[in-house]
Amino acid sequence: MLASCKPLPRAFFNRDPRKVARALLGKLVVRKTWRGVLAGRIVETEAYLGVNDAAAHSAAGKTARNFVLFGPPGIAYVYFIYGNHYCLNVSCLPDGTAGGVLFRALEPVEGIKQMAAARGIDPATDADLANPSFLKKLTSGPGRLAEALGVTRERDNEKRFFSPRSDLQIVDDGYSVRRIAVTPRIGIVKSADEPLRYFITGNAFVSGPKV
DNA sequence: ATATCGATTATCT
DNA sequence: GATAATCGATATG
């Protein structure tokens, strides 16, 4: 059923990152592998604006690393950080205008066993696969969700989220979000007081402060 | 529950 | 040569 969901159209991403970050909550990130489908519901995002946002990678202009942010909307921007982790973003706004949204946390929906294996944390028993504290370690945090989905810069940077043939998609399964909270972004020093972090109120898989 | 710290490397100054 | 949109382990209240 997930496999039959159509990805969100490119136009969905062709607007202000704040709008996209908010609208993405409740949607699914879908990864198709030769073993099966991995999917997680987006429960936490952060908006990164263009050249006017000191915390954004695009702040100092286009480089070999961040060029995707300056390109057309709906494209995966993956970067490597702290020598250890990948982080997954989607580009926003039309070609020539920088902007993006960072995926900060997902709620595991499908392919949980495979995601646990990718994270290197094997369940002790099958009961663990439904245990909230076990599930939270899978995709609660930007580095974690990238690892769970097997996302790397080498494989996934520049991938088209909106293409029906892409193995990395964002789809709408009709889930409706009740309430959204907005707070400052996490893990940055510049522009650290701008309220650009969005999450689903009360969701257990949100990373960081839940107020 | 909150705080601090080390890991480890692509990228930019 | 310094930095970084993080994580996991360890220490302390």
Side-chain angles (χ1 to χ4, degrees):
Chain A
M1 57 165 209
L2 271 183
S4 62
C5 280
K6 280 192 302 188
L8 292 173
R10 170 165 254 179
F12 180 92
F13 305 99
N14 192 12
R15 46 186 168 154
D16 188 290
R18 286 168 288 212
K19 287 245 169 52
V20 178
R22 189 181 277 273
L24 279 173
L25 294 176
K27 306 296 187 287
L28 297 169
V29 176
V30 175
R31 160 71 107 190
K32 295 176 179 174
T33 77
W34 60 272
R35 302 197 139 212
V37 174
L38 310 180
R41 192 171 309 285
I42 300 167
V43 301
E44 180 184 0
T45 57
E46 277 177 2
Y48 285 87
L49 315 182
V51 290
N52 295 323
D53 180 1
H57 288 176
S58 43
K62 195 178 191 176
T63 69
R65 178 209 203 189
N66 67 18
F67 69 93
V68 169
L69 292 172
F70 291 81
I75 306 293
Y77 168 53
V78 183
Y79 62 88
F80 187 61
I81 190 76
Y82 295 115
N84 290 319
H85 308 287
Y86 291 98
C87 291
L88 177 63
N89 304 249
V90 58
S91 65
C92 301
L93 297 169
D95 194 5
T97 309
V101 172
L102 168 69
F103 297 93
R104 280 203 61 89
L106 306 178
E107 173 173 349
V109 170
E110 196 165 318
I112 289 169
K113 252 181 158 161
Q114 202 179 144
M115 291 196 279
R119 291 270 298 118
I121 45 180
D122 292 312
T125 71
D126 273 6
D128 264 348
L129 298 174
N131 175 351
S133 63
F134 178 84
L135 293 172
K136 195 169 189 312
K137 290 186 286 194
L138 264 34
T139 53
S140 187
R144 288 172 168 183
L145 72 89
E147 187 173 35
L149 297 175
V151 168
T152 67
R153 177 171 174 90
E154 295 69 32
R155 280 180 58 182
D156 299 303
N157 197 46
E158 296 189 78
K159 220 159 245 183
R160 298 149 63 94
F161 276 114
F162 50 86
S163 167
R165 287 176 318 187
S166 177
D167 67 345
L168 197 57
Q169 299 179 352
I170 299 171
V171 311
D172 185 350
D173 69 345
Y175 181 88
S176 73
V177 174
R178 290 180 185 282
R179 194 171 157 74
I180 293 172
V182 186
T183 72
R185 294 172 292 186
I186 294 177
I188 57 173
V189 289
K190 301 166 200 157
S191 311
D193 32 352
E194 300 293 319
L196 294 172
R197 168 177 175 250
Y198 303 83
F199 62 90
I200 298 180
T201 302
N203 187 284
F205 297 91
V206 171
S207 75
K210 289 161 195 65
V211 295

